[in-house]
Amino acid sequence: MESVLERTAQVGHGHPHHAAAAAATVANVGGQIAKYLGGLLAVCVVMLLFGGLLVWWTLSQPEGSEEMQGVARPIREGAAAFLKVQYSTIAALSACMAAVIFVAYAVFGGPGAHRQAVLTSMAFLLGGGCSAASGAIAMWASVRCNVRVTQQAAAGAYTTALLVAFRGGAFAAVLIVTLCLLGLLVLVATLTLLMGNGVTHVPVMIVGYGFGASFVALFAQLGGGIYTKAADVGSDIVGKTELGMPEDDPRNAAVVADLVGDNVGDCAGRGADLFESIAAENIGAMILAAALARAPGVLPHVRVSLTLLPLVLHAVGLLSSLVGIVCTLPLDAFRRGSRGERTSLLRGGAGGGGNAANEEEELGEDPMHVMRRGFLVTFVVALCGTWLTSYLLLGKLGMDFAARAWALYALCATVGLLTSVAFAGLAEYYTDYWYAPVRSISRACESGHGVAVIQGMSVGLESVALPIVVLALAILAVYGLGRQAAGAGASAAFTHAAGMFGTAMGTCGMLSTATYVLAMDVFGPIGDNAGGIAEMSEQSARARAITDRLDAVGNTTKALTKGYAVGSAGLAAFLLFQGYIDSVNARLPVGVPQLSAIDLSVPELFVAGLLGCMLVYLFSSLAISAVGRAASSVVDEVRAQIRARPGIMTRAELPDYARCVKIVTQAALRQMVLPGLLAALAPAAVGIVFRFVGAPERPLLGAQAMGAMLLVGTISGIAMALFANNAGGSMDNAKKLIETGEFGGKNSDAHRAAVTGDTLGDPLKDTAGPSLHVLIKLLATVTLVVAPLLVN
């Protein structure tokens, strides 16, 4: 594979003056690359120091009484034990996959196969290791902050409790997103040196990093999701439905497993999920940027700027989130007003409906208002930083571009930012009980269990429509703006490449707030665990009121994160699909027609598309049924303990919490393997089978079939993920609305119907939905890795 600088050097071959000029160009471009990589490394160092400051402040807070620590210790130990066993299983699977990649490339990879085999398999292991570390970091932060939040709540320090929960999540977010940039930086620097500064050909060589991150994240999210929802569903069926126990009642044998699940699912799983999202989308953006940079007439220094721009925007997003995190401070003098209206994340006013005036006392500024202010600061700083970066790096693109191409590409990033806000706002609308959709489910609960489930499913299906419309408009907007950035005399191929780079800029813009969004997500399980510790250690009513308030907001932030994750996956899906097309074309021999589109009217490609759609539904089924089987075992165990030990109900003796933790751990590890391997291996199997079906008359049939499976599977996965997230979230919050006293209140018939709906919604929103986020990117990254084998 010939690098840009090699071609530059060849121009001057044979003439001393031209050779000297070519050598100077090589030196200048090499210095430019070093300058970019050095600046990115400096940003990583700054963010790591900031993360260290956050964790120092958080861990300096007191851990609480012996009673609190007695509850927190089993949660921490259970989470660590599960992660250790889970990661051992994932490590073994990853090692086998890396070996398969190496052998496949070495045997079937064509010219330079052995070097590509080593690079791809090593990048795969690096991406997988960083993804696993991201999950471990998020869980480590959560299990150490939860008891500190409870202690502050017990002391009546509402403001400090809020800050401990948020900064604990921010520490994890900063380290995870910085780790992603650092990993990509190491790969780009290493491969640039190996290739003689040919930076435009580096992106297609690091796709193994994205595949490794997605591979590990899928198993982490699946295992964590099965664990947390099996424990939650089993705990609710016996505790709430059968015995009328309150949330986190210490008489429930599954309650510790439930609290452990918040960490291994919502923290470890989501940390790995967002890490792989950022990694895969940055690699896809770099592939499209490099494709545009390699076009004839693009100057060498512009090629470097275009190719590395996604990483620079990643760094801008990190610094923007730093400013937003620092600005996330409650205003102690603030009062919500006599009506007690709670603010929405994305709107300054109150949410619609509800009556928060039933709270016994005002505690301080609403946590959602605090985080909304920090999010808006992050948004504004990211917006300004994106425009400034676009001007500095793209201000002088050359004659093949329009005069103000940099502004058009900055507008593409702005569209991406606004799309992230729209997806978060729509997720809030459909899952928060201050709005009509959730209230309609609560009202339906008064008519019985069946009607409640019907209404919940209806809301979930409806919630797919508007996000899809937003996504469609965003893709058309960024592609259209990108095309306008091409000059009037540019070729059709160049104009299309410029348009695709617009989608890359849109995706980079959407990721600008990823660090802050992840901080809000980890805030959720920290607040949830703090409430459980307060209940089980029998803290005061005021302490529980503080933790309940944090927990309630945490449910909303988790829903917003899921909406953000689906939105970023959706916008990136088009980008990654085009990245696959470019990856295939880059490896085609001279004289072979380029792959420009996937024609689903071809029978073989239509069949491959059907298989992609089938994969999404079968994967979701396996994930949900795994929760059902594991939850059934938990229900049997909790019932058996209550029958065998009557003293549990009178609080004379404690249940055997460890028994439920062991049951759920074994079930989660056993059930995660099949759906995970199915998702990882199915696309490669389809491509390889059709490669041999089409040989030798149709040598590209395998690549086309795998592209068809990627295309249809991605579209189906986006719709299914939206449905699962919003249906589950809306049914969960319909139950929480009833528990506030509306529609009959706790222990009413409506409440029991709502618990049934929540039981259905739990595996949708916390197992299938989040796992589908990863599946969407895994389909793209595995096809990028397998593409060279199908072409060669």
Side-chain angles (χ1 to χ4, degrees):
M1 193 177 293
E2 191 179 50
S3 73
V4 172
L5 299 179
E6 288 169 341
R7 290 198 300 270
T8 305
Q10 289 172 4
V11 172
H13 183 69
H15 192 289
H17 176 72
H18 291 167
T25 301
V26 170
N28 290 337
V29 172
Q32 185 186 14
I33 294 172
K35 180 176 66 174
Y36 278 126
L37 297 182
L40 293 171
L41 181 61
V43 172
C44 290
V45 171
V46 169
M47 296 308 298
L48 290 174
L49 291 174
F50 179 62
L53 182 62
L54 287 173
V55 74
W56 170 80
W57 182 87
T58 303
L59 296 184
S60 68
Q61 307 304 315
E63 281 194 85
S65 65
E66 185 59 38
E67 290 80 7
M68 295 180 195
Q69 294 184 46
V71 177
R73 194 175 301 111
I75 298 173
R76 183 163 58 244
E77 292 172 352
F82 174 78
L83 212 63
K84 180 179 179 180
V85 179
Q86 184 191 38
Y87 277 12
S88 297
T89 304
I90 295 174
L93 293 170
S94 300
C96 292
M97 182 59 70
V100 169
I101 292 171
F102 179 85
V103 172
Y105 268 82
V107 175
F108 303 108
H114 285 82
R115 184 180 72 168
Q116 188 68 14
V118 172
L119 292 175
T120 304
S121 56
M122 293 302 293
F124 174 85
L125 291 175
L126 178 62
C130 291
S131 182
S134 298
I137 289 169
M139 195 201 72
W140 187 91
S142 177
V143 298
R144 282 160 178 78
C145 294
N146 51 17
V147 69
R148 289 172 166 82
V149 174
T150 307
Q151 166 59 24
Q152 297 299 330
Y158 167 76
T159 296
T160 308
L162 191 162
L163 287 177
V164 170
F166 178 76
R167 290 178 178 175
F171 156 72
V174 166
L175 257 65
I176 289 169
V177 182
T178 303
L179 182 63
C180 181
L181 177 58
L182 194 58
L184 289 170
L185 188 59
V186 168
L187 280 176
V188 170
T190 302
L191 292 176
T192 300
L193 289 175
L194 290 176
M195 296 182 65
N197 292 332
V199 71
T200 58
H201 289 293
V202 167
V204 295
M205 302 185 70
I206 61 175
V207 293
Y209 184 82
F211 180 34
S214 298
F215 186 83
V216 170
L218 183 66
F219 285 102
Q221 185 66 75
L222 260 177
I226 293 169
Y227 186 111
T228 184
K229 289 303 105 179
D232 191 8
V233 169
S235 174
D236 282 354
I237 288 175
V238 180
K240 292 183 177 179
T241 304
E242 297 180 1
L243 301 175
M245 292 180 180
E247 185 84 16
D248 300 324
D249 193 299
R251 296 171 295 175
N252 193 326
V255 68
V256 171
D258 186 12
L259 294 171
V260 170
D262 291 333
N263 296 288
V264 300
D266 291 335
C267 289
R270 196 84 73 254
D273 177 1
L274 284 184
F275 174 90
E276 68 85 24
S277 293
I278 297 168
E281 289 157 23
N282 269 313
I283 291 171
M286 290 178 69
I287 289 174
L288 295 186
L292 179 62
R294 289 194 300 269
V298 178
L299 300 176
H301 74 278
V302 174
R303 289 172 175 167
V304 174
S305 298
L306 284 171
T307 305
L308 296 181
L309 180 58
L311 296 185
V312 176
L313 291 177
H314 184 146
V316 170
L318 273 168
L319 295 175
S320 302
S321 294
L322 184 154
V323 177
I325 291 167
V326 170
C327 293
T328 304
L329 292 169
L331 303 178
D332 292 334
F334 178 81
R335 282 293 182 269
R336 292 187 296 167
S338 60
R339 293 176 56 193
E341 293 177 332
R342 180 161 74 81
T343 58
S344 136
L345 173 66
L346 304 173
R347 301 193 307 138
N355 183 14
N358 292 331
E359 293 183 1
E360 293 181 3
E361 56 186 339
E362 295 291 345
L363 298 171
E365 185 177 11
D366 191 317
M368 187 62 78
H369 192 118
V370 177
M371 286 185 282
R372 165 185 162 273
R373 185 166 56 246
F375 179 83
L376 291 177
V377 169
T378 302
F379 179 92
V380 171
V381 175
L383 185 63
C384 296
T386 298
W387 277 79
L388 178 61
T389 302
S390 298
Y391 175 74
L392 293 176
L393 271 66
L394 305 179
K396 298 179 180 179
L397 288 175
M399 62 181 180
D400 286 332
F401 292 90
R404 295 190 177 274
W406 71 269
L408 293 169
Y409 283 130
L411 277 176
C412 291
T414 304
V415 170
L417 268 168
L418 293 174
T419 302
S420 70
V421 174
F423 263 81
L426 288 170
E428 181 180 17
Y429 173 74
Y430 279 107
T431 60
D432 198 320
Y433 63 60
W434 294 85
Y435 300 100
V438 172
R439 296 183 65 81
S440 71
I441 301 173
S442 298
R443 188 174 296 105
C445 290
E446 294 182 314
S447 300
H449 299 250
V451 177
V453 170
I454 290 171
Q455 184 61 23
M457 297 289 285
S458 172
V459 168
L461 291 169
E462 177 192 328
S463 70
V464 176
L466 286 178
I468 292 294
V469 171
V470 169
L471 181 60
L473 294 175
I475 291 174
L476 291 175
V478 294
Y479 180 69
L481 288 169
R483 285 179 61 87
Q484 292 180 34
S491 66
F494 185 87
T495 301
H496 175 68
M500 293 311 304
F501 183 62
T503 67
M505 288 293 292
T507 304
C508 291
M510 193 168 195
L511 292 175
S512 298
T513 56
T515 307
Y516 197 91
V517 171
L518 181 56
M520 292 196 298
D521 182 71
V522 180
F523 169 91
I526 292 174
D528 193 348
N529 266 210
I533 294 171
E535 179 71 26
M536 294 186 69
S537 60
E538 300 181 347
Q539 299 303 311
S540 66
R542 178 176 177 80
R544 185 65 211 216
I546 292 174
T547 58
D548 281 349
R549 195 170 187 205
L550 299 179
D551 183 19
V553 172
N555 287 324
T556 300
T557 61
K558 288 188 288 187
L560 295 176
T561 305
K562 291 168 188 172
Y564 176 86
V566 177
S568 66
L571 191 57
F574 187 61
L575 174 152
L576 291 170
F577 177 73
Q578 186 62 38
Y580 170 72
I581 299 293
D582 289 346
S583 178
V584 170
N585 288 334
R587 293 174 169 86
L588 289 177
V590 177
V592 176
Q594 296 274 296
L595 179 63
S596 59
I598 302 296
D599 186 0
L600 292 180
S601 67
V602 176
E604 293 90 344
L605 304 190
F606 184 78
V607 169
L610 281 177
L611 292 174
C613 181
M614 175 275 293
L615 175 64
V616 170
Y617 283 83
L618 180 58
F619 175 86
S620 302
S621 170
L622 291 172
I624 293 171
S625 63
V627 173
R629 287 191 294 271
S632 179
S633 299
V634 173
V635 168
D636 292 341
E637 176 62 26
V638 175
R639 288 172 177 167
Q641 290 196 29
I642 291 174
R643 285 195 303 267
R645 303 163 65 183
I648 290 176
M649 295 303 294
T650 62
R651 301 180 188 268
E653 56 182 323
L654 290 175
D656 184 358
Y657 301 119
R659 176 64 183 162
C660 284
V661 171
K662 182 179 180 181
I663 289 172
V664 180
T665 298
Q666 293 174 342
L669 294 176
R670 185 173 60 252
Q671 303 286 349
M672 75 177 185
V673 176
L674 177 58
L677 289 179
L678 174 70
L681 299 178
V686 168
I688 292 170
V689 167
F690 280 99
R691 171 68 178 86
F692 287 102
V693 169
E697 297 83 6
R698 302 160 70 188
L700 287 183
L701 183 60
Q704 292 171 323
M706 197 163 64
M709 187 177 193
L710 167 63
L711 179 63
V712 179
T714 299
I715 293 171
S716 303
I718 292 170
M720 177 63 83
L722 285 167
F723 163 74
N725 289 338
N726 294 331
S730 61
M731 287 189 275
D732 182 15
N733 281 328
K735 178 198 69 176
K736 286 181 168 56
L737 176 59
I738 293 175
E739 289 175 346
T740 66
E742 295 195 40
F743 302 105
K746 291 183 179 180
N747 298 321
S748 64
D749 289 340
H751 184 235
R752 281 184 280 274
V755 171
T756 299
D758 182 37
T759 302
L760 169 64
D762 274 343
L764 287 174
K765 70 182 177 67
D766 287 323
T767 306
S771 298
L772 285 169
H773 306 165
V774 188
L775 176 68
I776 293 168
K777 269 91 65 176
L778 181 69
L779 289 174
T781 54
V782 71
T783 52
L784 286 170
V785 169
V786 176
L789 307 178
L790 301 180
V791 174
N792 289 320

